[in-house]
PDB file of all heavy atoms in Angstrom:
ATOM      1  N   ASN A 396      22.761  17.043 -44.387  1.00  0.00           N
ATOM      2  CA  ASN A 396      22.763  18.480 -44.133  1.00  0.00           C
ATOM      3  C   ASN A 396      24.156  19.017 -43.796  1.00  0.00           C
ATOM      4  O   ASN A 396      24.475  20.162 -44.115  1.00  0.00           O
ATOM      5  CB  ASN A 396      21.787  18.812 -43.006  1.00  0.00           C
ATOM      6  CG  ASN A 396      20.344  18.629 -43.403  1.00  0.00           C
ATOM      7  OD1 ASN A 396      20.006  18.686 -44.584  1.00  0.00           O
ATOM      8  ND2 ASN A 396      19.475  18.415 -42.426  1.00  0.00           N
ATOM      9  N   ALA A 397      24.974  18.202 -43.155  1.00  0.00           N
ATOM     10  CA  ALA A 397      26.331  18.627 -42.816  1.00  0.00           C
ATOM     11  C   ALA A 397      27.173  18.848 -44.062  1.00  0.00           C
ATOM     12  O   ALA A 397      28.127  19.629 -44.037  1.00  0.00           O
ATOM     13  CB  ALA A 397      26.996  17.610 -41.900  1.00  0.00           C
ATOM     14  N   LYS A 398      26.839  18.150 -45.142  1.00  0.00           N
ATOM     15  CA  LYS A 398      27.578  18.267 -46.396  1.00  0.00           C
ATOM     16  C   LYS A 398      26.840  19.077 -47.449  1.00  0.00           C
ATOM     17  O   LYS A 398      27.340  19.219 -48.573  1.00  0.00           O
ATOM     18  CB  LYS A 398      27.898  16.879 -46.951  1.00  0.00           C
ATOM     19  CG  LYS A 398      28.814  16.058 -46.069  1.00  0.00           C
ATOM     20  CD  LYS A 398      29.093  14.698 -46.683  1.00  0.00           C
ATOM     21  CE  LYS A 398      30.054  13.904 -45.823  1.00  0.00           C
ATOM     22  NZ  LYS A 398      30.333  12.562 -46.404  1.00  0.00           N
ATOM     23  N   ASN A 399      25.663  19.594 -47.112  1.00  0.00           N
ATOM     24  CA  ASN A 399      24.842  20.346 -48.067  1.00  0.00           C
ATOM     25  C   ASN A 399      24.646  19.566 -49.362  1.00  0.00           C
ATOM     26  O   ASN A 399      24.753  20.120 -50.462  1.00  0.00           O
ATOM     27  CB  ASN A 399      25.472  21.714 -48.360  1.00  0.00           C
ATOM     28  CG  ASN A 399      25.472  22.625 -47.148  1.00  0.00           C
ATOM     29  OD1 ASN A 399      24.530  22.631 -46.367  1.00  0.00           O
ATOM     30  ND2 ASN A 399      26.534  23.402 -46.990  1.00  0.00           N
ATOM     31  N   THR A 400      24.345  18.298 -49.219  1.00  0.00           N
ATOM     32  CA  THR A 400      24.265  17.400 -50.362  1.00  0.00           C
ATOM     33  C   THR A 400      22.948  16.635 -50.362  1.00  0.00           C
ATOM     34  O   THR A 400      22.478  16.188 -49.312  1.00  0.00           O
ATOM     35  CB  THR A 400      25.445  16.412 -50.357  1.00  0.00           C
ATOM     36  OG1 THR A 400      26.674  17.140 -50.433  1.00  0.00           O
ATOM     37  CG2 THR A 400      25.367  15.449 -51.531  1.00  0.00           C
ATOM     38  N   VAL A 401      22.372  16.479 -51.540  1.00  0.00           N
ATOM     39  CA  VAL A 401      21.175  15.675 -51.735  1.00  0.00           C
ATOM     40  C   VAL A 401      21.501  14.547 -52.700  1.00  0.00           C
ATOM     41  O   VAL A 401      22.296  14.725 -53.633  1.00  0.00           O
ATOM     42  CB  VAL A 401      19.992  16.534 -52.241  1.00  0.00           C
ATOM     43  CG1 VAL A 401      20.295  17.146 -53.602  1.00  0.00           C
ATOM     44  CG2 VAL A 401      18.706  15.723 -52.281  1.00  0.00           C
ATOM     45  N   TYR A 402      20.892  13.384 -52.473  1.00  0.00           N
ATOM     46  CA  TYR A 402      21.157  12.196 -53.267  1.00  0.00           C
ATOM     47  C   TYR A 402      19.860  11.665 -53.870  1.00  0.00           C
ATOM     48  O   TYR A 402      18.771  11.890 -53.347  1.00  0.00           O
ATOM     49  CB  TYR A 402      21.772  11.089 -52.413  1.00  0.00           C
ATOM     50  CG  TYR A 402      23.001  11.498 -51.648  1.00  0.00           C
ATOM     51  CD1 TYR A 402      22.906  11.962 -50.333  1.00  0.00           C
ATOM     52  CD2 TYR A 402      24.269  11.433 -52.228  1.00  0.00           C
ATOM     53  CE1 TYR A 402      24.036  12.339 -49.622  1.00  0.00           C
ATOM     54  CE2 TYR A 402      25.393  11.807 -51.529  1.00  0.00           C
ATOM     55  CZ  TYR A 402      25.280  12.261 -50.221  1.00  0.00           C
ATOM     56  OH  TYR A 402      26.402  12.637 -49.533  1.00  0.00           O
ATOM     57  N   LEU A 403      20.003  10.942 -54.949  1.00  0.00           N
ATOM     58  CA  LEU A 403      18.885  10.228 -55.532  1.00  0.00           C
ATOM     59  C   LEU A 403      19.350   8.841 -55.927  1.00  0.00           C
ATOM     60  O   LEU A 403      20.110   8.683 -56.883  1.00  0.00           O
ATOM     61  CB  LEU A 403      18.323  10.963 -56.750  1.00  0.00           C
ATOM     62  CG  LEU A 403      17.053  10.363 -57.351  1.00  0.00           C
ATOM     63  CD1 LEU A 403      15.872  10.556 -56.385  1.00  0.00           C
ATOM     64  CD2 LEU A 403      16.736  10.988 -58.706  1.00  0.00           C
ATOM     65  N   GLN A 404      18.918   7.845 -55.169  1.00  0.00           N
ATOM     66  CA  GLN A 404      19.207   6.451 -55.492  1.00  0.00           C
ATOM     67  C   GLN A 404      18.127   5.955 -56.439  1.00  0.00           C
ATOM     68  O   GLN A 404      16.947   5.962 -56.099  1.00  0.00           O
ATOM     69  CB  GLN A 404      19.232   5.598 -54.221  1.00  0.00           C
ATOM     70  CG  GLN A 404      19.476   4.118 -54.461  1.00  0.00           C
ATOM     71  CD  GLN A 404      20.850   3.831 -55.006  1.00  0.00           C
ATOM     72  OE1 GLN A 404      21.840   4.351 -54.496  1.00  0.00           O
ATOM     73  NE2 GLN A 404      20.936   3.017 -56.057  1.00  0.00           N
ATOM     74  N   MET A 405      18.531   5.524 -57.623  1.00  0.00           N
ATOM     75  CA  MET A 405      17.596   5.097 -58.652  1.00  0.00           C
ATOM     76  C   MET A 405      17.800   3.609 -58.921  1.00  0.00           C
ATOM     77  O   MET A 405      18.863   3.199 -59.386  1.00  0.00           O
ATOM     78  CB  MET A 405      17.790   5.903 -59.931  1.00  0.00           C
ATOM     79  CG  MET A 405      17.668   7.407 -59.734  1.00  0.00           C
ATOM     80  SD  MET A 405      17.760   8.333 -61.291  1.00  0.00           S
ATOM     81  CE  MET A 405      19.464   7.992 -61.752  1.00  0.00           C
ATOM     82  N   ASN A 406      16.789   2.821 -58.636  1.00  0.00           N
ATOM     83  CA  ASN A 406      16.816   1.386 -58.872  1.00  0.00           C
ATOM     84  C   ASN A 406      15.757   1.002 -59.900  1.00  0.00           C
ATOM     85  O   ASN A 406      14.834   1.766 -60.177  1.00  0.00           O
ATOM     86  CB  ASN A 406      16.563   0.621 -57.569  1.00  0.00           C
ATOM     87  CG  ASN A 406      17.600   0.874 -56.507  1.00  0.00           C
ATOM     88  OD1 ASN A 406      18.776   1.063 -56.806  1.00  0.00           O
ATOM     89  ND2 ASN A 406      17.170   0.869 -55.253  1.00  0.00           N
ATOM     90  N   SER A 407      15.894  -0.197 -60.440  1.00  0.00           N
ATOM     91  CA  SER A 407      14.936  -0.709 -61.424  1.00  0.00           C
ATOM     92  C   SER A 407      14.674   0.297 -62.530  1.00  0.00           C
ATOM     93  O   SER A 407      13.530   0.586 -62.890  1.00  0.00           O
ATOM     94  CB  SER A 407      13.623  -1.090 -60.724  1.00  0.00           C
ATOM     95  OG  SER A 407      13.834  -2.060 -59.723  1.00  0.00           O
ATOM     96  N   LEU A 408      15.749   0.832 -63.078  1.00  0.00           N
ATOM     97  CA  LEU A 408      15.630   1.886 -64.082  1.00  0.00           C
ATOM     98  C   LEU A 408      14.963   1.376 -65.365  1.00  0.00           C
ATOM     99  O   LEU A 408      15.161   0.231 -65.760  1.00  0.00           O
ATOM    100  CB  LEU A 408      16.995   2.470 -64.388  1.00  0.00           C
ATOM    101  CG  LEU A 408      17.521   3.438 -63.331  1.00  0.00           C
ATOM    102  CD1 LEU A 408      19.021   3.631 -63.466  1.00  0.00           C
ATOM    103  CD2 LEU A 408      16.791   4.776 -63.427  1.00  0.00           C
ATOM    104  N   ARG A 409      14.191   2.249 -65.957  1.00  0.00           N
ATOM    105  CA  ARG A 409      13.468   1.964 -67.187  1.00  0.00           C
ATOM    106  C   ARG A 409      13.884   2.934 -68.277  1.00  0.00           C
ATOM    107  O   ARG A 409      14.329   4.036 -67.980  1.00  0.00           O
ATOM    108  CB  ARG A 409      11.962   2.105 -66.949  1.00  0.00           C
ATOM    109  CG  ARG A 409      11.421   1.243 -65.825  1.00  0.00           C
ATOM    110  CD  ARG A 409      10.038   1.703 -65.412  1.00  0.00           C
ATOM    111  NE  ARG A 409       9.485   0.902 -64.336  1.00  0.00           N
ATOM    112  CZ  ARG A 409       8.400   1.215 -63.641  1.00  0.00           C
ATOM    113  NH1 ARG A 409       7.724   2.318 -63.930  1.00  0.00           N
ATOM    114  NH2 ARG A 409       7.978   0.414 -62.671  1.00  0.00           N
ATOM    115  N   PRO A 410      13.732   2.561 -69.545  1.00  0.00           N
ATOM    116  CA  PRO A 410      14.079   3.500 -70.619  1.00  0.00           C
ATOM    117  C   PRO A 410      13.380   4.849 -70.494  1.00  0.00           C
ATOM    118  O   PRO A 410      13.959   5.872 -70.859  1.00  0.00           O
ATOM    119  CB  PRO A 410      13.635   2.750 -71.878  1.00  0.00           C
ATOM    120  CG  PRO A 410      13.794   1.314 -71.516  1.00  0.00           C
ATOM    121  CD  PRO A 410      13.383   1.235 -70.066  1.00  0.00           C
ATOM    122  N   GLU A 411      12.160   4.862 -69.988  1.00  0.00           N
ATOM    123  CA  GLU A 411      11.435   6.111 -69.835  1.00  0.00           C
ATOM    124  C   GLU A 411      12.003   7.018 -68.743  1.00  0.00           C
ATOM    125  O   GLU A 411      11.572   8.165 -68.606  1.00  0.00           O
ATOM    126  CB  GLU A 411       9.943   5.870 -69.585  1.00  0.00           C
ATOM    127  CG  GLU A 411       9.647   4.913 -68.448  1.00  0.00           C
ATOM    128  CD  GLU A 411       9.397   3.486 -68.924  1.00  0.00           C
ATOM    129  OE1 GLU A 411      10.129   3.016 -69.815  1.00  0.00           O
ATOM    130  OE2 GLU A 411       8.469   2.847 -68.400  1.00  0.00           O
ATOM    131  N   ASP A 412      12.968   6.514 -67.956  1.00  0.00           N
ATOM    132  CA  ASP A 412      13.671   7.351 -66.992  1.00  0.00           C
ATOM    133  C   ASP A 412      14.777   8.172 -67.644  1.00  0.00           C
ATOM    134  O   ASP A 412      15.378   9.029 -66.985  1.00  0.00           O
ATOM    135  CB  ASP A 412      14.278   6.496 -65.874  1.00  0.00           C
ATOM    136  CG  ASP A 412      13.224   5.806 -65.025  1.00  0.00           C
ATOM    137  OD1 ASP A 412      12.211   6.450 -64.687  1.00  0.00           O
ATOM    138  OD2 ASP A 412      13.423   4.627 -64.679  1.00  0.00           O
ATOM    139  N   THR A 413      15.068   7.900 -68.902  1.00  0.00           N
ATOM    140  CA  THR A 413      16.098   8.645 -69.615  1.00  0.00           C
ATOM    141  C   THR A 413      15.762  10.131 -69.639  1.00  0.00           C
ATOM    142  O   THR A 413      14.681  10.525 -70.073  1.00  0.00           O
ATOM    143  CB  THR A 413      16.243   8.118 -71.042  1.00  0.00           C
ATOM    144  OG1 THR A 413      16.709   6.763 -71.007  1.00  0.00           O
ATOM    145  CG2 THR A 413      17.231   8.964 -71.836  1.00  0.00           C
ATOM    146  N   ALA A 414      16.686  10.952 -69.160  1.00  0.00           N
ATOM    147  CA  ALA A 414      16.463  12.389 -69.070  1.00  0.00           C
ATOM    148  C   ALA A 414      17.712  13.054 -68.519  1.00  0.00           C
ATOM    149  O   ALA A 414      18.639  12.389 -68.055  1.00  0.00           O
ATOM    150  CB  ALA A 414      15.274  12.693 -68.152  1.00  0.00           C
ATOM    151  N   VAL A 415      17.718  14.376 -68.573  1.00  0.00           N
ATOM    152  CA  VAL A 415      18.694  15.152 -67.819  1.00  0.00           C
ATOM    153  C   VAL A 415      18.088  15.418 -66.453  1.00  0.00           C
ATOM    154  O   VAL A 415      16.963  15.912 -66.360  1.00  0.00           O
ATOM    155  CB  VAL A 415      19.053  16.471 -68.514  1.00  0.00           C
ATOM    156  CG1 VAL A 415      20.004  17.294 -67.655  1.00  0.00           C
ATOM    157  CG2 VAL A 415      19.679  16.193 -69.877  1.00  0.00           C
ATOM    158  N   TYR A 416      18.822  15.083 -65.413  1.00  0.00           N
ATOM    159  CA  TYR A 416      18.349  15.252 -64.054  1.00  0.00           C
ATOM    160  C   TYR A 416      18.984  16.484 -63.427  1.00  0.00           C
ATOM    161  O   TYR A 416      20.200  16.660 -63.468  1.00  0.00           O
ATOM    162  CB  TYR A 416      18.674  14.006 -63.214  1.00  0.00           C
ATOM    163  CG  TYR A 416      17.764  12.845 -63.518  1.00  0.00           C
ATOM    164  CD1 TYR A 416      17.852  12.170 -64.731  1.00  0.00           C
ATOM    165  CD2 TYR A 416      16.799  12.435 -62.596  1.00  0.00           C
ATOM    166  CE1 TYR A 416      17.001  11.116 -65.031  1.00  0.00           C
ATOM    167  CE2 TYR A 416      15.951  11.368 -62.888  1.00  0.00           C
ATOM    168  CZ  TYR A 416      16.050  10.722 -64.104  1.00  0.00           C
ATOM    169  OH  TYR A 416      15.206   9.671 -64.385  1.00  0.00           O
ATOM    170  N   TYR A 417      18.143  17.324 -62.833  1.00  0.00           N
ATOM    171  CA  TYR A 417      18.573  18.571 -62.222  1.00  0.00           C
ATOM    172  C   TYR A 417      18.273  18.557 -60.731  1.00  0.00           C
ATOM    173  O   TYR A 417      17.196  18.131 -60.323  1.00  0.00           O
ATOM    174  CB  TYR A 417      17.850  19.767 -62.837  1.00  0.00           C
ATOM    175  CG  TYR A 417      18.067  19.953 -64.314  1.00  0.00           C
ATOM    176  CD1 TYR A 417      17.238  19.330 -65.247  1.00  0.00           C
ATOM    177  CD2 TYR A 417      19.093  20.758 -64.781  1.00  0.00           C
ATOM    178  CE1 TYR A 417      17.431  19.505 -66.602  1.00  0.00           C
ATOM    179  CE2 TYR A 417      19.291  20.941 -66.137  1.00  0.00           C
ATOM    180  CZ  TYR A 417      18.460  20.314 -67.042  1.00  0.00           C
ATOM    181  OH  TYR A 417      18.652  20.496 -68.389  1.00  0.00           O
ATOM    182  N   CYS A 418      19.197  19.051 -59.941  1.00  0.00           N
ATOM    183  CA  CYS A 418      18.902  19.218 -58.524  1.00  0.00           C
ATOM    184  C   CYS A 418      18.508  20.662 -58.238  1.00  0.00           C
ATOM    185  O   CYS A 418      18.865  21.581 -58.975  1.00  0.00           O
ATOM    186  CB  CYS A 418      20.081  18.791 -57.632  1.00  0.00           C
ATOM    187  SG  CYS A 418      21.557  19.821 -57.748  1.00  0.00           S
ATOM    188  N   ASN A 419      17.766  20.824 -57.179  1.00  0.00           N
ATOM    189  CA  ASN A 419      17.226  22.117 -56.779  1.00  0.00           C
ATOM    190  C   ASN A 419      17.371  22.277 -55.275  1.00  0.00           C
ATOM    191  O   ASN A 419      17.259  21.307 -54.528  1.00  0.00           O
ATOM    192  CB  ASN A 419      15.752  22.201 -57.190  1.00  0.00           C
ATOM    193  CG  ASN A 419      15.017  23.341 -56.511  1.00  0.00           C
ATOM    194  OD1 ASN A 419      14.409  23.160 -55.452  1.00  0.00           O
ATOM    195  ND2 ASN A 419      15.074  24.515 -57.117  1.00  0.00           N
ATOM    196  N   ALA A 420      17.634  23.504 -54.845  1.00  0.00           N
ATOM    197  CA  ALA A 420      17.709  23.793 -53.419  1.00  0.00           C
ATOM    198  C   ALA A 420      17.083  25.142 -53.130  1.00  0.00           C
ATOM    199  O   ALA A 420      17.347  26.119 -53.840  1.00  0.00           O
ATOM    200  CB  ALA A 420      19.155  23.771 -52.936  1.00  0.00           C
ATOM    201  N   ASP A 421      16.261  25.193 -52.097  1.00  0.00           N
ATOM    202  CA  ASP A 421      15.724  26.445 -51.582  1.00  0.00           C
ATOM    203  C   ASP A 421      16.717  26.926 -50.541  1.00  0.00           C
ATOM    204  O   ASP A 421      16.769  26.398 -49.434  1.00  0.00           O
ATOM    205  CB  ASP A 421      14.336  26.214 -50.990  1.00  0.00           C
ATOM    206  CG  ASP A 421      13.634  27.488 -50.618  1.00  0.00           C
ATOM    207  OD1 ASP A 421      13.836  28.515 -51.300  1.00  0.00           O
ATOM    208  OD2 ASP A 421      12.861  27.466 -49.635  1.00  0.00           O
ATOM    209  N   LEU A 422      17.518  27.926 -50.894  1.00  0.00           N
ATOM    210  CA  LEU A 422      18.751  28.222 -50.185  1.00  0.00           C
ATOM    211  C   LEU A 422      18.857  29.696 -49.785  1.00  0.00           C
ATOM    212  O   LEU A 422      18.443  30.581 -50.536  1.00  0.00           O
ATOM    213  CB  LEU A 422      19.933  27.823 -51.069  1.00  0.00           C
ATOM    214  CG  LEU A 422      21.361  27.875 -50.554  1.00  0.00           C
ATOM    215  CD1 LEU A 422      22.199  26.818 -51.264  1.00  0.00           C
ATOM    216  CD2 LEU A 422      21.969  29.254 -50.778  1.00  0.00           C
ATOM    217  N   ARG A 423      19.417  29.924 -48.603  1.00  0.00           N
ATOM    218  CA  ARG A 423      19.688  31.262 -48.112  1.00  0.00           C
ATOM    219  C   ARG A 423      21.190  31.456 -47.986  1.00  0.00           C
ATOM    220  O   ARG A 423      21.865  30.712 -47.276  1.00  0.00           O
ATOM    221  CB  ARG A 423      19.011  31.471 -46.747  1.00  0.00           C
ATOM    222  CG  ARG A 423      19.064  32.890 -46.220  1.00  0.00           C
ATOM    223  CD  ARG A 423      18.322  32.979 -44.891  1.00  0.00           C
ATOM    224  NE  ARG A 423      18.247  34.350 -44.399  1.00  0.00           N
ATOM    225  CZ  ARG A 423      17.660  34.712 -43.277  1.00  0.00           C
ATOM    226  NH1 ARG A 423      17.071  33.802 -42.508  1.00  0.00           N
ATOM    227  NH2 ARG A 423      17.643  35.989 -42.915  1.00  0.00           N
ATOM    228  N   GLU A 424      21.724  32.459 -48.672  1.00  0.00           N
ATOM    229  CA  GLU A 424      23.166  32.668 -48.708  1.00  0.00           C
ATOM    230  C   GLU A 424      23.707  33.254 -47.402  1.00  0.00           C
ATOM    231  O   GLU A 424      24.815  32.906 -46.978  1.00  0.00           O
ATOM    232  CB  GLU A 424      23.552  33.590 -49.860  1.00  0.00           C
ATOM    233  CG  GLU A 424      23.338  32.975 -51.226  1.00  0.00           C
ATOM    234  CD  GLU A 424      23.883  33.850 -52.334  1.00  0.00           C
ATOM    235  OE1 GLU A 424      25.041  34.324 -52.211  1.00  0.00           O
ATOM    236  OE2 GLU A 424      23.154  34.073 -53.316  1.00  0.00           O
ATOM    237  N   SER A 425      22.959  34.147 -46.773  1.00  0.00           N
ATOM    238  CA  SER A 425      23.400  34.776 -45.531  1.00  0.00           C
ATOM    239  C   SER A 425      22.201  35.401 -44.849  1.00  0.00           C
ATOM    240  O   SER A 425      21.091  35.389 -45.373  1.00  0.00           O
ATOM    241  CB  SER A 425      24.479  35.829 -45.798  1.00  0.00           C
ATOM    242  OG  SER A 425      23.908  37.024 -46.273  1.00  0.00           O
ATOM    243  N   VAL A 426      22.440  35.981 -43.674  1.00  0.00           N
ATOM    244  CA  VAL A 426      21.386  36.666 -42.949  1.00  0.00           C
ATOM    245  C   VAL A 426      20.877  37.884 -43.722  1.00  0.00           C
ATOM    246  O   VAL A 426      19.767  38.376 -43.468  1.00  0.00           O
ATOM    247  CB  VAL A 426      21.876  37.068 -41.543  1.00  0.00           C
ATOM    248  CG1 VAL A 426      22.916  38.178 -41.629  1.00  0.00           C
ATOM    249  CG2 VAL A 426      20.707  37.471 -40.655  1.00  0.00           C
ATOM    250  N   LEU A 427      21.653  38.362 -44.674  1.00  0.00           N
ATOM    251  CA  LEU A 427      21.266  39.501 -45.498  1.00  0.00           C
ATOM    252  C   LEU A 427      20.425  39.098 -46.704  1.00  0.00           C
ATOM    253  O   LEU A 427      19.971  39.972 -47.451  1.00  0.00           O
ATOM    254  CB  LEU A 427      22.514  40.252 -45.973  1.00  0.00           C
ATOM    255  CG  LEU A 427      23.429  40.806 -44.882  1.00  0.00           C
ATOM    256  CD1 LEU A 427      24.646  41.479 -45.502  1.00  0.00           C
ATOM    257  CD2 LEU A 427      22.674  41.776 -43.987  1.00  0.00           C
ATOM    258  N   HIS A 428      20.247  37.806 -46.907  1.00  0.00           N
ATOM    259  CA  HIS A 428      19.494  37.300 -48.045  1.00  0.00           C
ATOM    260  C   HIS A 428      18.275  36.516 -47.593  1.00  0.00           C
ATOM    261  O   HIS A 428      18.266  35.950 -46.504  1.00  0.00           O
ATOM    262  CB  HIS A 428      20.368  36.385 -48.912  1.00  0.00           C
ATOM    263  CG  HIS A 428      21.575  37.028 -49.491  1.00  0.00           C
ATOM    264  ND1 HIS A 428      22.700  37.309 -48.743  1.00  0.00           N
ATOM    265  CD2 HIS A 428      21.844  37.446 -50.755  1.00  0.00           C
ATOM    266  CE1 HIS A 428      23.605  37.872 -49.518  1.00  0.00           C
ATOM    267  NE2 HIS A 428      23.108  37.963 -50.731  1.00  0.00           N
ATOM    268  N   GLY A 429      17.270  36.488 -48.454  1.00  0.00           N
ATOM    269  CA  GLY A 429      16.157  35.601 -48.242  1.00  0.00           C
ATOM    270  C   GLY A 429      16.371  34.279 -48.960  1.00  0.00           C
ATOM    271  O   GLY A 429      17.339  34.118 -49.701  1.00  0.00           O
ATOM    272  N   TYR A 430      15.481  33.337 -48.726  1.00  0.00           N
ATOM    273  CA  TYR A 430      15.578  32.059 -49.423  1.00  0.00           C
ATOM    274  C   TYR A 430      15.141  32.210 -50.875  1.00  0.00           C
ATOM    275  O   TYR A 430      14.187  32.920 -51.184  1.00  0.00           O
ATOM    276  CB  TYR A 430      14.696  31.012 -48.745  1.00  0.00           C
ATOM    277  CG  TYR A 430      15.257  30.492 -47.454  1.00  0.00           C
ATOM    278  CD1 TYR A 430      14.907  31.060 -46.234  1.00  0.00           C
ATOM    279  CD2 TYR A 430      16.157  29.423 -47.456  1.00  0.00           C
ATOM    280  CE1 TYR A 430      15.440  30.585 -45.045  1.00  0.00           C
ATOM    281  CE2 TYR A 430      16.683  28.946 -46.270  1.00  0.00           C
ATOM    282  CZ  TYR A 430      16.327  29.523 -45.071  1.00  0.00           C
ATOM    283  OH  TYR A 430      16.858  29.052 -43.888  1.00  0.00           O
ATOM    284  N   LYS A 431      15.849  31.545 -51.751  1.00  0.00           N
ATOM    285  CA  LYS A 431      15.456  31.480 -53.148  1.00  0.00           C
ATOM    286  C   LYS A 431      15.931  30.176 -53.761  1.00  0.00           C
ATOM    287  O   LYS A 431      16.769  29.482 -53.196  1.00  0.00           O
ATOM    288  CB  LYS A 431      15.986  32.678 -53.934  1.00  0.00           C
ATOM    289  CG  LYS A 431      17.469  32.675 -54.206  1.00  0.00           C
ATOM    290  CD  LYS A 431      17.835  33.845 -55.122  1.00  0.00           C
ATOM    291  CE  LYS A 431      19.278  33.801 -55.556  1.00  0.00           C
ATOM    292  NZ  LYS A 431      19.602  34.908 -56.491  1.00  0.00           N
ATOM    293  N   ALA A 432      15.382  29.869 -54.918  1.00  0.00           N
ATOM    294  CA  ALA A 432      15.691  28.607 -55.575  1.00  0.00           C
ATOM    295  C   ALA A 432      16.996  28.672 -56.361  1.00  0.00           C
ATOM    296  O   ALA A 432      17.240  29.631 -57.095  1.00  0.00           O
ATOM    297  CB  ALA A 432      14.553  28.207 -56.504  1.00  0.00           C
ATOM    298  N   TYR A 433      17.813  27.633 -56.205  1.00  0.00           N
ATOM    299  CA  TYR A 433      19.025  27.462 -56.987  1.00  0.00           C
ATOM    300  C   TYR A 433      18.946  26.150 -57.731  1.00  0.00           C
ATOM    301  O   TYR A 433      18.341  25.183 -57.256  1.00  0.00           O
ATOM    302  CB  TYR A 433      20.268  27.479 -56.086  1.00  0.00           C
ATOM    303  CG  TYR A 433      20.583  28.827 -55.498  1.00  0.00           C
ATOM    304  CD1 TYR A 433      19.939  29.276 -54.358  1.00  0.00           C
ATOM    305  CD2 TYR A 433      21.529  29.655 -56.094  1.00  0.00           C
ATOM    306  CE1 TYR A 433      20.215  30.525 -53.819  1.00  0.00           C
ATOM    307  CE2 TYR A 433      21.821  30.903 -55.557  1.00  0.00           C
ATOM    308  CZ  TYR A 433      21.161  31.324 -54.424  1.00  0.00           C
ATOM    309  OH  TYR A 433      21.439  32.562 -53.897  1.00  0.00           O
ATOM    310  N   TRP A 434      19.580  26.104 -58.893  1.00  0.00           N
ATOM    311  CA  TRP A 434      19.550  24.930 -59.756  1.00  0.00           C
ATOM    312  C   TRP A 434      20.944  24.517 -60.179  1.00  0.00           C
ATOM    313  O   TRP A 434      21.824  25.351 -60.413  1.00  0.00           O
ATOM    314  CB  TRP A 434      18.732  25.204 -61.019  1.00  0.00           C
ATOM    315  CG  TRP A 434      17.277  25.402 -60.749  1.00  0.00           C
ATOM    316  CD1 TRP A 434      16.648  26.560 -60.427  1.00  0.00           C
ATOM    317  CD2 TRP A 434      16.272  24.394 -60.786  1.00  0.00           C
ATOM    318  NE1 TRP A 434      15.306  26.341 -60.254  1.00  0.00           N
ATOM    319  CE2 TRP A 434      15.046  25.021 -60.473  1.00  0.00           C
ATOM    320  CE3 TRP A 434      16.276  23.024 -61.056  1.00  0.00           C
ATOM    321  CZ2 TRP A 434      13.837  24.332 -60.420  1.00  0.00           C
ATOM    322  CZ3 TRP A 434      15.083  22.319 -61.003  1.00  0.00           C
ATOM    323  CH2 TRP A 434      13.882  22.981 -60.691  1.00  0.00           C
ATOM    324  N   GLY A 435      21.149  23.214 -60.301  1.00  0.00           N
ATOM    325  CA  GLY A 435      22.362  22.703 -60.893  1.00  0.00           C
ATOM    326  C   GLY A 435      22.265  22.711 -62.409  1.00  0.00           C
ATOM    327  O   GLY A 435      21.220  23.031 -62.980  1.00  0.00           O
ATOM    328  N   GLN A 436      23.359  22.342 -63.067  1.00  0.00           N
ATOM    329  CA  GLN A 436      23.399  22.336 -64.522  1.00  0.00           C
ATOM    330  C   GLN A 436      22.866  21.048 -65.133  1.00  0.00           C
ATOM    331  O   GLN A 436      22.617  20.994 -66.337  1.00  0.00           O
ATOM    332  CB  GLN A 436      24.835  22.580 -65.011  1.00  0.00           C
ATOM    333  CG  GLN A 436      25.336  23.987 -64.734  1.00  0.00           C
ATOM    334  CD  GLN A 436      24.502  25.038 -65.442  1.00  0.00           C
ATOM    335  OE1 GLN A 436      24.322  24.976 -66.665  1.00  0.00           O
ATOM    336  NE2 GLN A 436      23.982  25.992 -64.682  1.00  0.00           N
ATOM    337  N   GLY A 437      22.679  20.032 -64.332  1.00  0.00           N
ATOM    338  CA  GLY A 437      22.092  18.793 -64.799  1.00  0.00           C
ATOM    339  C   GLY A 437      23.113  17.707 -65.073  1.00  0.00           C
ATOM    340  O   GLY A 437      24.271  17.982 -65.381  1.00  0.00           O
TER     341      GLY A 437
END
């Protein structure tokens, strides 16, 4: 939380795990904003 970072450790990977992986955050920019979903580019 101090770094605003999320991780995904993936072990025992399989061919069916092949994909573009996207991160998501339910985020509030300021006290003037409500929470909404943000997405990375993958």
Side-chain angles (χ1 to χ4, degrees):
N396 290 336
K398 296 180 178 180
N399 294 323
T400 299
V401 63
Y402 306 93
L403 186 69
Q404 178 66 47
M405 304 185 293
N406 298 326
S407 302
L408 283 162
R409 304 165 180 169
E411 52 263 42
D412 295 318
T413 295
V415 176
Y416 284 70
Y417 299 89
C418 67
N419 165 267
D421 188 33
L422 186 150
R423 188 178 185 180
E424 292 187 48
S425 78
V426 70
L427 301 178
H428 299 75
Y430 285 94
K431 73 174 186 178
Y433 290 83
W434 293 87
Q436 292 298 306

